[in-house]
Amino acid sequence: MIFTVAIDGPAAAGKGTIGREIAARFGMRHLDTGLLYRAVGARTLRGEEAVAAARGLEAADLEGDLRRQDVAAAASRVAAVPEVRAALVDWQRGFARAAGGAVLDGRDIGTVICPEAEVKLYVTASPEVRAERRFAELAASDATLTREGVLEDVLARDARDMGRAEAPLVAAEDAVVLDTSTMSVEEAVGAAVAIVASALPAR
Ligand code: CDP
């Protein structure tokens, strides 16, 4: 079976959690494409030029602490460079259309990487709710973090991701929009699972 679930949306909207749960539930493989951009961003923080970093990306780069805020900011900067995005396209497309079904989450999955995806979700929530969730996720490992700082980071990254010329963050025309502002994790996952289940071919 070739079946792609494309999940796009702004920072900290819950794409990763929903993507992982859908993949587990339906036995599909899952790719958090943000990790690719974070890994390239992390290499630039170590002094490497962005395009060379993207072209030379290795599996080992996906390990380590890529959740940090400085890495996220670097990711969104390198993600605006067309040659960086181009270096990562083929691998993501191959993953999306490999046999067995795949769930990919990111910013341009339903619009650029896999416009033919069988299911497209655009997962979003208010900036305040997203900042609160990201603060809860990161505060334990970074005592210097403040709620205001996280909100600023989320807003700056959204503006950069939505405003860039190449593959900007936008809901695909045929995406189902899931606003999770007032949903629990279980409710958001449940809604997404129902949408995927109704699109799967009868087995
Ligand atoms: O987890 P969170 O939603 O905060 O971020 P992420 O999905 O790990 O993505 C980090 C950054 O990578 C984003 O702010 C985007 O600039 C970039 N990105 C992208 O441009 N295209 C993708 N398909 C995935 C991420």
Side-chain angles (χ1 to χ4, degrees), residues 10-203:
K15 305 180 295 291
T17 305
I18 289 175
R20 268 191 306 279
E21 291 292 326
I22 289 179
R25 168 76 183 256
F26 297 104
M28 298 173 180
R29 294 191 310 145
H30 175 230
L31 177 64
D32 170 0
T33 64
L35 278 185
L36 303 175
Y37 293 91
R38 285 173 181 263
V40 175
R43 282 176 73 145
T44 67
L45 292 178
R46 296 197 291 273
E48 199 172 349
E49 191 272 322
V51 178
R55 290 183 181 151
L57 206 63
E58 296 171 348
D61 292 318
L62 301 178
E63 286 152 24
D65 188 7
L66 298 176
R67 301 304 307 165
R68 293 198 330 250
Q69 257 198 311
D70 58 339
V71 175
S76 110
R77 281 193 296 271
V78 301
V81 180
E83 293 83 0
V84 167
R85 306 198 70 85
L88 304 174
V89 163
D90 287 348
W91 195 79
Q92 294 178 82
R93 286 203 176 133
F95 189 99
R97 299 314 265 172
V103 183
L104 288 82
D105 68 82
R107 300 290 187 289
D108 63 341
I109 308 305
T111 50
V112 174
I113 299 297
C114 196
E116 68 274 40
E118 283 72 15
V119 175
K120 296 182 189 178
L121 299 176
Y122 187 84
V123 179
T124 188
S126 73
E128 291 73 20
V129 167
R130 291 187 285 121
E132 186 59 38
R133 289 180 189 160
R134 186 49 49 92
F135 179 77
E137 177 192 340
L138 295 178
S141 59
D142 183 354
T144 65
L145 225 54
T146 62
R147 286 189 162 72
E148 297 70 36
V150 173
L151 179 59
E152 266 173 41
D153 170 76
V154 159
L155 290 174
R157 214 140 53 84
D158 285 356
R160 201 155 40 212
D161 292 347
M162 292 173 185
R164 70 188 174 213
E166 186 83 8
L169 170 62
V170 59
E173 268 179 25
D174 49 350
V176 178
V177 178
L178 205 59
D179 187 329
T180 68
S181 299
T182 60
M183 291 184 189
S184 65
V185 172
E186 292 73 23
E187 286 169 335
V189 168
V193 163
I195 292 165
V196 174
S198 69
L200 274 172
R203 292 191 238 197

